[in-house]
Amino acid sequence: MAYSIGVDVGGTFTDVVLRDTSGAISVAKCLSTHYDPIAGIVAGVTRALGDRDPAQVTRVVHATTLATNAVLERTGVRVAYVTTQGFRSVVPLGRYARVEEDRYDLRFTPPPPPVAPEDCFEVTERVSARGEVLTPLDDASVRRVAAEIAGRGIGSAAVCLLHAYANPAHERRVAEILRASVPSVVTSSEVWPEIREYERATTTIMSAYVGPLMASYLSRLRERLAALGIRAPVHVMESGGGVVSAELAARRAVATIESGPAAGVLAAAGAGFADAISFDMGGTTAKACVVRGGRPEITHEFHVGGKGSFGGRRAGTGVPIRTPAIDLAEVGAGGGSVAWLDPAGTLRVGPRSAGSSPGPACYGLGGAEPTVTDANLVLGYLASASIPLTPALAEEALDRLAGPLGVAREEAARAVHEIVSAAMASAVHVVTVQRGIDPRGFALVAFGGAGPMHAARVAERFGIATVVVPAHCGVASAAGLLAGDLATERVRSRLDAGDPEPIFTGLVAEAAADLGVSPADPEVRVERSVNVRFLGQSHDLTVAWSPSRDELAARFAARYRQVYGIEQHGEIELVGYRVRLTAPAAPRAHRPSALARALAHPPSAPAGPPPSTPAGTPEPPPVPPDGAQEHPPLSPAGIPERPPAAPGAVGSRRAYFAECGGYVEVPVHTRASLPERLPGPAIVEDGESTIVVPPSWTAAPAPAGAVHLTRGGRA
């Protein structure tokens, strides 16, 4: 028996999914260990493995937020920027959009550049946009720069010479000289050889900024897994949804900046709906993405470290990154988001999160501030989780809000629930309405530890009538990792290229070398595309390649209409060429037919205590570190706590629904006990998450172990 392991490290929980060759899976969910993320990974892997032989693990796939956190928290390594003489100020000058809250700030100070001005260096050389050498490279100037970088103790360098995408010879020579004295050197022609000097520079700098951290982290991860007896290859999810080797991830670290969120979207894409909206709500953030035709939307430029607005990242407020990424909108709203009162006494939720330490108050781990999880527990939506919950602590936390607001505890909890649902709806708005997409024809695929509790309320705001909650939704991102194929993308800008075939051939060879496969392998898929723009315009769009100029023009016009909402025709020009190469990540015998088929198997029991115990089952929950036991579900004083359960239900409890006038008794089901049609209000509890079925919604079992919620009573 062979096993594959998917590991997703989130802001609150570390999720591990283990799948065997038959497709059966077991899951583990542990609190993330921010002081050392690998400690949480080892704990989760150990639990998921149980008594299985670790030597039989053939593959480990990891989604990590290491690169993202390094950029946001500015904890990357010091970088030296090396460029063409006369262009050292491109990065320090930068580019910043003064958005609404900055526009009239008389004391406005722009964020610091990614590289300090004193760490920017010039070498003597010049290449034209056509690749012609205008000024030969002066090796002596490079050696002087190398000595200066080494003398300052800088261990990482980003080399981005003018028009190196057209002719990388000078960059390669500069890197060769620098590597004699600088441990880590990254060149733009290796990372992303496209036009636009500023974006190419920042992309190269970010790769040099996080690359050494990524290399060290993945090396330590392999060592810790080897200590468990797992010597399988470690793969990492890229931002675009492909999986690459740990070695390639370290070399092109910038491609992993959106690693974590990408995996969940793959799980949503495999949920059985061609047109869907991926809705992932974890402990710290909520993310949304549109899936059309079974494939997630991909962007080739995004911004990190900037300001957000209604779930989106505003261009010009962060560092632009030119690399393929699943097109997500993200908002700081999750189960651990802290509810607070601003100086005017207005209730706010997030973006600050209690995380895994100390976590929500009800975890009993030292947290005292009210969070979304505490509110959901008070409302009766939640009764069990990956660790035992203490309702009394949640009540105390919510009372700190209710008192100043002058409302009852349950009203404060309801306000927190509604505010965070509205915040998450903003992310859905960004990827749909804001881009001219009518969301009403889409299914909302909800996952993450907290997503199914809020999904129906978010869907209501857009007139979405179908919500899909996949099996093992609480660990869907980790499961999505196992669905990803080995994939990488290569690009090269060429203006007025004659025959594109040699360019495509070279890109395919580079991509195949990245993955260690042969392009001649019948299981290797190659997708060709081109960057097209109207003649004389500055920006371009990516469309599938066709040797027919008329067909390319038609595809570009259709894409232009989709993106901008207007019809436009005119002469086009090609400015760049792309290939995406995809290969199976596992032998055919070890691959399930689809992710949904894999998730349809019931989970095997992991070693140690289960991640959670659904309400109504006789087995007691595990005891948390402080010794507190799980309490019965919250109910108003003087009302029986557990009246007889509804037929077929495993229990019942009181939950708050405004449409019903407040607290009402609702049936509590598991997926196994779910009838063919369960009208709301009701609760369906998973091992890793809880589904809230509001009034006017109906829940029903679906293929692959999923639960479908439909609005208006349609089953």
Side-chain angles (χ1 to χ4, degrees):
M1 183 70 74
Y3 303 99
S4 299
I5 293 177
V7 180
D8 177 46
V9 179
T12 304
F13 288 101
T14 294
D15 300 335
V16 178
V17 170
L18 181 143
R19 185 183 69 199
D20 64 26
T21 49
S22 72
I25 73 171
S26 62
V27 303
K29 203 172 183 75
C30 303
L31 286 172
S32 295
T33 48
H34 298 290
Y35 61 90
D36 178 13
I38 297 176
I41 294 174
V42 170
V45 169
T46 301
R47 176 180 290 184
L49 273 172
D51 57 1
R52 300 174 181 88
D53 182 3
Q56 292 182 312
V57 175
T58 58
R59 181 177 178 236
V60 177
V61 191
H62 182 27
T64 174
T65 57
L66 179 77
T68 309
N69 293 339
V71 174
L72 295 178
E73 299 167 8
R74 302 188 71 86
T75 56
V77 301
R78 186 179 176 185
V79 176
Y81 172 60
V82 181
T83 188
T84 302
Q85 187 175 30
F87 290 85
R88 67 183 298 272
S89 295
V90 167
V91 171
L93 285 174
R95 186 188 301 150
Y96 189 83
R98 293 190 63 167
V99 292
E100 290 86 353
E101 58 267 38
D102 299 331
R103 199 160 291 152
Y104 304 107
D105 183 357
L106 298 180
R107 293 182 175 84
F108 169 75
T109 301
V115 177
E118 61 269 21
D119 291 337
C120 297
F121 302 90
E122 297 177 345
V123 296
T124 303
E125 68 87 39
R126 187 68 179 263
V127 171
S128 75
R130 302 282 186 261
E132 304 158 339
V133 176
L134 303 178
T135 302
L137 176 67
D138 180 4
D139 284 5
S141 70
V142 182
R143 293 190 179 93
R144 287 193 297 271
V145 166
E148 181 70 16
I149 293 172
R152 296 188 183 191
I154 303 175
S156 184
V159 182
C160 183
L161 303 183
L162 195 67
H163 303 308
Y165 59 85
N167 183 350
H170 285 182
E171 272 199 355
R172 291 170 181 168
R173 177 58 180 160
V174 170
E176 180 185 349
I177 296 173
L178 289 178
R179 285 180 178 130
S181 54
V182 181
S184 176
V185 179
V186 177
T187 67
S188 70
S189 52
E190 294 172 337
V191 174
W192 209 247
E194 271 196 302
I195 59 173
R196 303 193 186 287
E197 297 304 318
Y198 181 66
E199 288 84 353
R200 186 160 54 89
T202 55
T203 301
T204 308
I205 288 168
M206 286 297 104
S207 198
Y209 186 66
V210 301
L213 295 181
M214 183 66 72
S216 173
Y217 170 80
L218 292 174
S219 176
R220 289 185 289 112
L221 176 60
R222 285 194 295 261
E223 291 173 0
R224 298 280 286 276
L225 291 175
L228 294 178
I230 298 174
R231 301 187 182 277
V234 175
H235 291 155
V236 178
M237 175 69 72
E238 278 195 326
S239 306
V243 173
V244 298
S245 67
E247 293 75 16
L248 182 57
R251 293 203 313 270
R252 294 174 59 188
V254 70
T256 68
I257 285 181
E258 292 289 332
S259 166
V265 178
L266 293 185
F273 286 78
D275 295 332
I277 299 168
S278 168
F279 173 61
D280 178 5
M281 180 183 178
T284 306
T285 59
K287 295 162 281 287
C289 175
V290 168
V291 175
R292 288 199 275 195
R295 303 184 66 171
E297 292 287 307
I298 300 291
T299 180
H300 291 93
E301 181 179 326
F302 59 98
H303 295 74
V304 294
K307 295 187 176 182
S309 175
F310 304 104
R313 291 164 294 197
R314 285 178 284 187
T317 66
V319 179
I321 302 295
R322 297 278 289 184
T323 188
I326 288 179
D327 195 4
L328 293 155
E330 184 172 334
V331 64
S337 294
V338 175
W340 51 285
L341 300 178
D342 66 15
T346 303
L347 179 61
R348 309 275 187 173
V349 181
R352 187 167 61 88
S353 173
S356 61
S357 178
C362 61
Y363 282 10
L365 301 177
E369 294 181 291
T371 66
V372 173
T373 296
D374 296 311
N376 286 333
L377 184 58
V378 166
L379 293 172
Y381 301 155
L382 188 63
S384 62
S386 298
I387 65 173
L389 306 179
T390 306
L393 295 176
E395 295 173 22
E396 291 177 13
L398 265 296
D399 285 343
R400 295 189 182 94
L401 286 179
L405 290 173
V407 298
R409 178 193 302 150
E410 60 269 21
E411 287 296 325
R414 177 194 172 198
V416 171
H417 182 88
E418 290 188 350
I419 289 172
V420 78
S421 293
M424 292 182 295
S426 69
V428 176
H429 186 275
V430 165
V431 297
T432 57
V433 177
Q434 191 168 305
R435 297 177 184 175
I437 299 172
D438 185 347
R440 290 174 295 183
F442 288 70
L444 186 73
V445 182
F447 54 96
M453 271 187 291
H454 294 262
R457 296 305 194 189
V458 171
E460 286 176 348
R461 294 173 178 268
F462 298 95
I464 297 173
T466 302
V467 171
V468 180
V469 184
H472 307 295
C473 56
V475 293
S477 290
L481 290 168
L482 300 180
D485 288 327
L486 292 175
T488 190
E489 190 164 325
R490 282 285 183 166
V491 63
R492 181 158 296 122
S493 291
R494 282 290 186 273
L495 302 177
D496 301 327
D499 180 11
E501 194 57 37
I503 301 175
F504 279 130
T505 301
L507 293 174
V508 169
E510 293 174 6
D514 286 341
L515 299 184
V517 299
S518 169
D521 189 324
E523 290 198 315
V524 172
R525 303 190 307 276
V526 177
E527 299 174 54
R528 297 182 175 190
S529 58
V530 287
N531 294 348
V532 186
R533 67 188 181 190
F534 285 121
L535 186 64
Q537 285 195 336
S538 176
H539 297 281
D540 52 71
L541 296 172
T542 302
V543 299
W545 163 249
S546 170
S548 167
R549 193 79 170 190
D550 291 341
E551 180 62 27
L552 278 180
R555 292 176 182 177
F556 175 69
R559 179 63 176 158
Y560 194 97
R561 182 172 59 251
Q562 182 185 67
V563 172
Y564 298 110
I566 59 174
E567 195 82 27
Q568 189 86 327
H569 297 278
E571 188 177 352
I572 63 171
E573 63 177 339
L574 310 186
V575 294
Y577 301 84
R578 299 175 180 273
V579 299
R580 182 172 181 82
L581 191 142
T582 306
R588 182 179 294 277
H590 296 171
R591 301 199 302 271
S593 59
L595 174 66
R597 177 171 173 265
L599 292 180
H601 289 71
S604 306
S612 63
T613 305
T617 55
E619 183 177 346
V623 179
D626 65 355
Q629 297 283 348
E630 183 180 1
H631 290 258
L634 182 70
S635 61
I639 296 181
E641 294 177 332
R642 289 216 188 260
V650 297
S652 66
R653 65 169 176 264
R654 298 184 69 82
Y656 190 98
F657 293 96
E659 302 96 320
C660 301
Y663 284 101
V664 292
E665 199 69 35
V666 301
V668 178
H669 282 265
T670 64
R671 293 194 191 224
S673 73
L674 192 63
E676 290 186 7
R677 189 173 182 277
L678 176 66
I683 304 289
V684 181
E685 291 195 324
D686 271 336
E688 311 91 28
S689 189
T690 297
I691 306 170
V692 173
V693 188
S696 79
W697 286 81
T698 299
V707 173
H708 287 185
L709 275 62
T710 53
R711 193 176 184 196
R714 299 185 303 275

